[in-house]
Amino acid sequence: MDDRPRDETPSPAPPYYENPLPTPGTLPPRAWWGASDAARLTLNGSWAFRLAPTASGTGPGFTADDPAATAGWDRVTVPGHWVLQGHGAPAYTGVAYLFPVDPPRMPDENPTGDHRREFDLPGDWPADGETLLRFEGVDSCARVWLNGTELGTFQGSRLPHEFAVGPLLRRRGNVLAVRVHQWSAGSYLEDQDMWWLPGIFREVSLLHRPAGSPADHFVHAGYDHTTGEGTLRVECDVPGRVLVPELGLDLACGQEARAAVEPWSAEVPRLYAGELVTAGERIPLRIGFRTVGIEDGLLKVNGRRVLFRGVNRHEFHPETGRALDRETMRRDIVLMKQHNVNAVRTSHYPPHPAFLDLCDELGLWVIDECDLETHGFCWMPDWRGNPVADERWTPALVDRARRMVERDKNHPSVLVWSLGNECHAGRGLSAMAAWIRARDPARPVHYENDPEYPDSDIFSRMYAPHEEVERIGRREEEPLSDPERDAHRRSLPFLLVEYAHAMGNGPGGLADYQRLFETYERCQGGFVWEWIDHGLLTRTADGREYFGYGGDFGEGYHDGNFVCDGLLFPDRTPSPGLIEYKKVVEPVRITGDAAQGVTIRNGHDFAGTSHLAFTWAYEVEGRRIAAGDLAVPPLEPGHKARLPLPAAPADAPPGEAVWTVRACLRAGTAWAEAGHEVAWGQWPAAPAPAPAAPPGPRVAPRRDGGLITLGPAVFDAGRGRLRALGGLPLAEGPRLDVFRAPTDNDIGMHWEPGTQVSVLWERIGLHRVRHRTDEVRLTDEALTVRTRVAPDARDLALATTYRWTADEEGTLRLRVAVTPEGDWPCPLPRLGLRLGLPAAFGRVSWYGGGPGEAYPDTRAASRLGRYRATVEELQTPYVRPQENGARADVRWAELSAGEATLRIEADPEPFWLTARRWSSEQLDAAGHTVDLSPGEVVWVNLDHAQHGIGSQSCGPAPLPRHRLTAAPADFGLAFRLREGR
Ligand code: GAL
């Protein structure tokens, strides 16, 4: 191999980093196993490091024995990315290649990190056998030397590579040198929507291979649901025995055994401990018996249709990028299990192998996806140059498929192989599928991006709107022009392999999708895009932390915060989207009504309900009056039971009453403690109570110079605006507000301008409407203020009338009537009132929906109750600040400062409550959380209606029923100030 700089010696042969062909030198791929009795030595840790601007690296010297070769070098941690350790910078693009598209060539600027580590072998390192040097993942191309001898090169960032190094090793003073190029031919195959993060980001280790140890083994463990028997056969390239003591099995490699077993499933991840015993090595096996296949047009496991409640997971940590430790991997799975997620697509590359061990152990269905995406070719006419349609690349594609399948084949959790993501169509994909099918016929193959689905056993779509999913569910989708291809596609089960783009506030519409998945058996669920925001922990000059996104690291070209579209915030705090998803996909449905009691339906595919303890509670106005256990007979999957509830407590106080029934874990599991709530239902205990007693005798408004008083309230006489209530001066009296800081879903997709509702809002000027007072009228009964609320430069308006009344008890009531004028070309963001309170009003309690935020199409998890929070706690810290924090269905809210409390009551329709220390306009102007600082005012929004959230940042708009169309509206509220206890 030629290490000379290419500009000095132009050569017709491409250098290795621009050669798409898999290079000889690495060993054939094989299964990964976490532990055995063979010796291993980790080479993780601190390595000498220097970054060079071109592929020539630092020159040839760093491979030499002489420690002076790296004198004065920096150090980096392996596994890790050098751009997150102070060398160069991360960069984010969603689709675009960050280099000119001229496959397989790369520009001269090719940041290249030379890494070097010296090591000794442990004293007891065996002298016999072979030793392998293993790299679990290097982004994107490595060239490796050991003790001055070049071992070879490799590409394929998220795939393992091994070299045989035994004869080169010394007992002491080994020198391992690794040159890593950020860009290589492989980069054309790795255009996933994520940070470009070069480096040795997964482990490096030495593995001893004793004489007589296997090169590889393949565990075939099926389950026959008709007999309850498992079948086991372990292929191995050396003779050996397979022991499964719990099943009394002791069989030879290659032999098949049958035994009565408990099957493995994501719900009941039953693993049997076994061992593969060969002359040279004893390898622990974790065997899960399960059979997957497509039958009658459905994807079935162990004979049953399964429903995926899935997420797409990138590997991400806000400080270490795609270098993840075991704790973080486990944390991801624990959080998934706690939120009723049962499936993960490893978008868009095979994860760290230990993650799959954890999926086996804790129970998740896995779609294992190959490290492949060529999305950036979509901008060339007909995807010109696309590697999957260019045979020169086929060996590299098949090599990738092979490295994935061989590494991960022994995991029961892996149900489906996925060829990759967004590569459009091409023969290279067919070659991958053919190789996979020949090697592992026992698993279906998935690929989404070829509309004809020649290589996929699953019909799969991204971001399809609800009505398309429904058509597919009925098998009434638009036909393909080729009848044979159409018939094939129509016969396939359907997955929404990406849906519900969880960018910023949202995603909306989850519950509407779930209804379709639970109605049409062909629709076997979906995978939310995506699991976690990839915000990188960043600090301001004065040390305040925030999460950075595209453009924060000096990138010339970037895709902004499109990289922050997960159900978890970057620090793995669940976002409201995850809380909503948990409710929407709960595997047990609890419904009821006052007359008929409670219905419990077991929506698991395999598990019964005996692991759940059910309880009921009877609450009046959010206070628990009575509670108890609910005896629920064990329910088989798919079965339901209707049960009576106790009589409503005779001594219950008057007021709105609800039943709440909860299903919680009876005992602790590996992923949650006993008592963890899995599902709940809530419904009115009695028909809604009659509206509150009519207001007491009214007081009349009085004009008093420039002021008007009405009971406890003081208004300015010119504009009719409320100035003070009792002793409380308002920073701003309530007035109509229709603006919200656009969410990422309001901003929509810049490549599909029709989706950008916030652009219309801005064009119309909803963020800077004017209020004109047309009349301030006093009668014996009321103060009526007639206004016109309108943006500049338009003839659009909202004619708004405020009618204020007060009673002798000191309650101030407001009725607002709004009539739109002109042709409103867009939905309104919100419709309600905004008022400003002094900053001291920092404590909030309310009776209504909670505890978290909710919007019209994200409110499944909002539960009626009594809650309290500080204004700070009401905020949802989306990585890019935007509208957030509304609480739904509020019957009353109290905002307090010291001993003063402002009570706001629904009159009669419940309202949406939002309170924050900055205005919507300030929220809109902020680019990062650190741009927001508390002001002198607590801004409170009391909304009659909100526009839905939808998933338009990459998907459909809110469904029509969640759209807030400009239309005549009428709503009311009552205010009362309590001063002192
Ligand atoms: C999909 C793609 C994902 C991601 C998503 C938008 O088309 O497969 O990788 O880019 O869009 O966030």
Side-chain angles (χ1 to χ4, degrees):
M1 289 200 194
D2 186 356
D3 183 44
R4 285 166 296 178
R6 24 178 318 113
D7 45 358
E8 284 170 24
T9 52
S11 143
Y16 61 93
Y17 53 88
E18 290 183 345
N19 186 350
L21 290 176
T23 41
T26 56
L27 295 169
R30 64 193 182 95
W32 182 82
W33 53 93
S36 77
D37 61 349
R40 49 177 70 206
L41 174 68
T42 175
L43 298 177
N44 294 345
S46 175
W47 290 47
F49 176 82
R50 179 163 279 183
L51 183 63
T54 70
S56 312
T58 58
F62 90 114
T63 66
D65 266 5
D66 181 4
T70 52
W73 284 31
D74 236 315
R75 305 210 58 94
V76 292
T77 299
V78 170
H81 305 280
W82 69 70
V83 290
L84 299 182
Q85 299 186 51
H87 303 273
Y92 167 60
T93 58
V95 176
Y97 289 110
L98 262 193
F99 42 81
V101 177
D102 179 23
R105 303 293 310 277
M106 283 294 150
D108 291 347
E109 300 100 71
N110 188 350
T112 292
D114 281 346
H115 298 67
R116 176 181 154 123
R117 188 191 203 282
E118 285 147 33
F119 64 92
D120 299 332
L121 289 179
D124 58 354
W125 192 263
D128 66 334
E130 177 56 285
T131 294
L132 309 185
L133 171 63
R134 181 173 173 97
F135 293 88
E136 296 293 349
V138 180
D139 191 334
S140 82
C141 173
R143 180 174 181 183
V144 187
W145 295 262
L146 182 64
N147 295 331
T149 301
E150 179 163 350
L151 302 177
T153 67
F154 60 86
Q155 300 173 23
S157 300
R158 269 68 60 173
L159 293 164
H161 296 86
E162 290 179 325
F163 298 98
V165 296
L168 294 175
L169 281 172
R170 306 169 185 152
R171 286 275 145 193
R172 306 190 62 77
N174 292 286
V175 176
L176 177 60
V178 186
R179 171 162 293 160
V180 181
H181 306 291
Q182 173 154 18
W183 306 126
S184 66
S187 305
Y188 284 98
L189 306 181
E190 296 174 3
D191 190 26
Q192 294 95 339
D193 174 356
M194 59 191 191
W195 294 101
W196 297 98
L197 295 176
I200 306 174
F201 74 100
R202 287 184 188 159
E203 287 86 346
V204 185
S205 49
L206 277 186
L207 305 176
H208 181 241
R209 309 301 306 131
S213 65
D216 195 11
H217 66 276
F218 194 165
V219 178
H220 303 274
Y223 180 72
D224 181 343
H225 67 278
T226 62
T227 63
E229 270 186 328
T231 50
L232 177 66
R233 181 170 58 87
V234 178
E235 281 173 46
C236 187
D237 58 306
V238 297
R241 296 210 62 84
V242 177
L243 313 178
V244 190
E246 197 183 343
L247 296 172
L249 294 181
D250 177 349
L251 59 150
C253 285
Q255 196 189 339
E256 181 171 290
R258 289 176 169 271
V261 298
E262 293 170 56
W264 187 94
S265 71
E267 292 168 5
V268 187
R270 177 66 159 98
L271 290 173
Y272 290 86
E275 208 178 9
L276 169 59
V277 182
T278 66
E281 189 181 19
R282 299 178 81 100
I283 300 171
L285 303 176
R286 301 201 311 165
I287 303 161
F289 293 91
R290 58 114 193 86
T291 292
V292 56
I294 312 285
E295 229 180 277
D296 309 323
L298 298 174
L299 178 72
K300 293 190 180 172
V301 182
N302 300 337
R304 298 199 192 155
R305 168 196 187 254
V306 289
L307 182 58
F308 292 103
R309 304 167 167 97
V311 292
N312 279 280
R313 173 181 179 269
H314 268 288
E315 295 185 308
F316 185 74
H317 186 281
E319 289 170 273
T320 57
R322 285 190 287 278
L324 257 56
D325 57 20
R326 298 280 197 290
E327 251 338 284
T328 305
M329 297 178 210
R330 180 178 279 274
R331 180 98 199 106
D332 275 350
I333 300 181
V334 163
L335 282 167
M336 288 178 196
K337 298 286 290 185
Q338 289 178 348
H339 291 88
N340 294 331
V341 168
N342 72 358
V344 62
R345 172 183 181 225
T346 69
S347 52
H348 303 295
Y349 43 83
H352 189 289
F355 179 78
L356 297 176
D357 263 357
L358 291 166
C359 291
D360 295 342
E361 186 184 312
L362 299 173
L364 284 177
W365 308 120
V366 177
I367 296 185
D368 195 359
E369 188 151 273
C370 197
D371 191 3
L372 175 62
E373 174 160 343
T374 63
H375 201 176
F377 285 87
C378 69
W379 291 335
M380 320 306 150
D382 297 327
W383 287 68
R384 186 170 62 212
N386 185 4
V388 306
D390 175 343
E391 283 179 4
R392 286 179 301 161
W393 294 79
T394 302
L397 301 176
V398 173
D399 182 62
R400 282 169 187 253
R402 190 168 164 217
R403 285 184 188 279
M404 167 179 74
V405 171
E406 297 298 8
R407 193 195 72 169
D408 296 344
K409 59 186 180 275
N410 292 334
H411 291 284
S413 57
V414 174
L415 281 195
V416 174
W417 301 116
S418 178
L419 302 182
N421 187 54
E422 294 186 316
C423 299
H424 195 52
R427 301 242 299 269
L429 294 164
S430 305
M432 293 172 80
W435 188 91
I436 294 175
R437 290 202 166 98
R439 178 66 175 137
D440 183 18
R443 286 182 176 98
V445 170
H446 163 271
Y447 180 65
E448 180 273 345
N449 210 226
D450 181 336
E452 303 211 321
Y453 297 85
D455 300 311
S456 185
D457 298 315
I458 295 166
F459 179 19
S460 156
R461 289 272 290 115
M462 293 183 177
Y463 310 109
H466 299 81
E467 41 91 13
E468 184 186 338
V469 173
E470 178 141 33
R471 263 186 283 128
I472 294 171
R474 297 179 196 273
R475 296 190 196 264
E476 289 171 2
E477 65 270 21
E478 284 292 303
L480 291 171
S481 55
D482 176 335
E484 219 171 284
R485 288 271 161 97
D486 186 63
H488 166 68
R489 194 180 71 175
R490 210 168 287 277
S491 71
L492 301 177
F494 179 71
L495 283 184
L496 263 182
V497 81
E498 289 181 30
Y499 81 120
H501 198 247
M503 185 177 181
N505 186 335
L510 284 168
D512 299 292
Y513 279 113
Q514 195 64 21
R515 256 194 297 283
L516 299 172
F517 303 155
E518 292 180 13
T519 303
Y520 298 102
E521 65 168 8
R522 187 188 190 191
C523 299
Q524 293 194 243
F527 294 76
V528 166
W529 186 268
E530 68 175 304
W531 175 237
I532 184 167
D533 286 341
H534 311 203
L536 288 170
L537 187 67
T538 310
R539 289 181 181 81
T540 58
D542 59 353
R544 286 171 302 137
E545 291 184 343
Y546 65 100
F547 294 112
Y549 49 77
D552 289 336
F553 302 93
E555 308 105 291
Y557 181 96
H558 63 83
D559 286 307
N561 68 319
F562 203 62
V563 77
C564 294
D565 51 2
L567 293 172
L568 294 181
F569 290 106
D571 62 2
R572 289 190 155 70
T573 312
S575 82
L578 184 58
I579 310 298
E580 176 79 359
Y581 197 44
K582 173 182 179 179
K583 172 66 182 143
V584 164
V585 299
E586 57 191 12
V588 172
R589 290 270 176 242
I590 304 172
T591 51
D593 59 54
Q596 309 226 6
V598 53
T599 301
I600 313 245
R601 184 182 174 281
N602 181 7
H604 287 99
D605 295 321
F606 297 95
T609 49
S610 52
H611 63 296
L612 297 172
F614 292 82
T615 53
W616 61 267
Y618 184 91
E619 288 152 28
V620 175
E621 300 225 332
R623 291 208 192 288
R624 175 165 300 183
I625 305 302
D629 293 333
L630 185 68
V632 178
L635 294 172
E636 292 291 306
H639 287 215
K640 64 180 175 187
R642 180 176 291 171
L643 306 164
L645 284 166
D651 52 352
E656 184 179 26
V658 295
W659 292 105
T660 306
V661 171
R662 304 165 68 223
C664 301
L665 290 180
R666 260 183 212 290
T669 65
W671 46 269
E673 294 184 350
H676 165 83
E677 185 180 273
V678 172
W680 59 276
Q682 189 181 62
W683 56 93
R698 294 215 170 130
V699 296
R702 280 198 328 268
R703 199 181 289 271
D704 185 1
L707 300 174
I708 295 169
T709 55
L710 174 64
V714 181
F715 296 81
D716 92 54
R719 303 180 65 194
R721 295 277 296 280
L722 182 64
R723 286 275 195 77
L725 186 63
L728 166 67
L730 297 177
E732 191 174 292
R735 61 174 179 169
L736 190 78
D737 186 16
V738 292
F739 178 65
R740 75 181 183 199
T743 65
D744 292 314
N745 288 311
D746 294 334
I747 291 170
M749 297 170 265
H750 61 84
W751 62 97
E752 282 187 33
T755 63
Q756 297 195 279
V757 63
S758 72
V759 169
L760 293 175
W761 294 343
E762 194 172 338
R763 202 172 293 154
I764 291 175
L766 288 189
H767 55 304
R768 46 181 169 77
V769 292
R770 312 239 182 216
H771 296 251
R772 184 184 77 205
T773 309
D774 289 333
E775 187 186 18
V776 176
R777 188 155 53 94
L778 284 69
T779 63
D780 281 353
E781 287 248 294
L783 163 68
T784 304
V785 182
R786 213 159 46 72
T787 70
R788 184 175 188 275
V789 181
D792 286 348
R794 301 273 165 167
D795 62 357
L796 300 170
L798 299 161
T800 306
T801 301
Y802 306 82
R803 185 166 189 276
W804 296 95
T805 55
D807 62 25
E808 285 173 356
E809 277 85 57
T811 300
L812 177 71
R813 291 174 194 275
L814 169 61
R815 194 86 212 148
V816 184
V818 181
T819 310
E821 294 172 2
D823 293 328
W824 284 78
C826 55
L828 297 175
R830 61 169 10 115
L831 182 71
L833 301 171
R834 176 200 303 209
L835 75 153
L837 298 178
F841 281 75
R843 287 180 287 121
V844 185
S845 58
W846 75 98
Y847 168 48
E853 80 179 26
Y855 288 82
D857 52 350
T858 63
R859 61 189 291 171
S862 172
R863 193 182 320 199
L864 190 62
R866 230 178 242 242
Y867 303 98
R868 62 177 73 238
T870 62
V871 170
E872 288 72 19
E873 288 163 350
L874 289 178
Q875 314 309 307
T876 308
Y878 291 114
V879 172
R880 187 192 68 79
Q882 53 196 278
E883 166 66 29
N884 72 82
R887 296 326 194 251
D889 299 319
V890 177
R891 277 63 166 165
W892 55 255
E894 293 185 344
L895 290 106
S896 308
E899 306 237 309
T901 294
L902 174 64
R903 182 175 168 100
I904 304 165
E905 285 183 9
D907 191 20
E909 13 349 57
F911 58 96
W912 303 85
L913 170 72
T914 311
R916 46 175 80 102
R917 295 199 175 274
W918 33 79
S919 66
S920 296
E921 291 74 15
Q922 287 165 330
L923 185 61
D924 185 27
H928 296 91
T929 46
V930 281
D931 299 336
L932 290 165
S933 40
E936 293 300 298
V937 179
V938 169
W939 292 102
V940 181
N941 275 91
L942 308 165
D943 289 307
H944 171 61
Q946 290 266 2
H947 182 54
I949 295 294
S951 194
Q952 260 182 134
S953 52
C954 188
L959 287 173
R961 71 172 188 285
H962 302 307
R963 197 179 153 89
L964 177 50
T965 305
D970 191 91
F971 55 93
L973 289 164
F975 302 84
R976 180 196 281 270
L977 185 73
R978 213 171 49 229
E979 289 167 288
R981 293 188 186 277

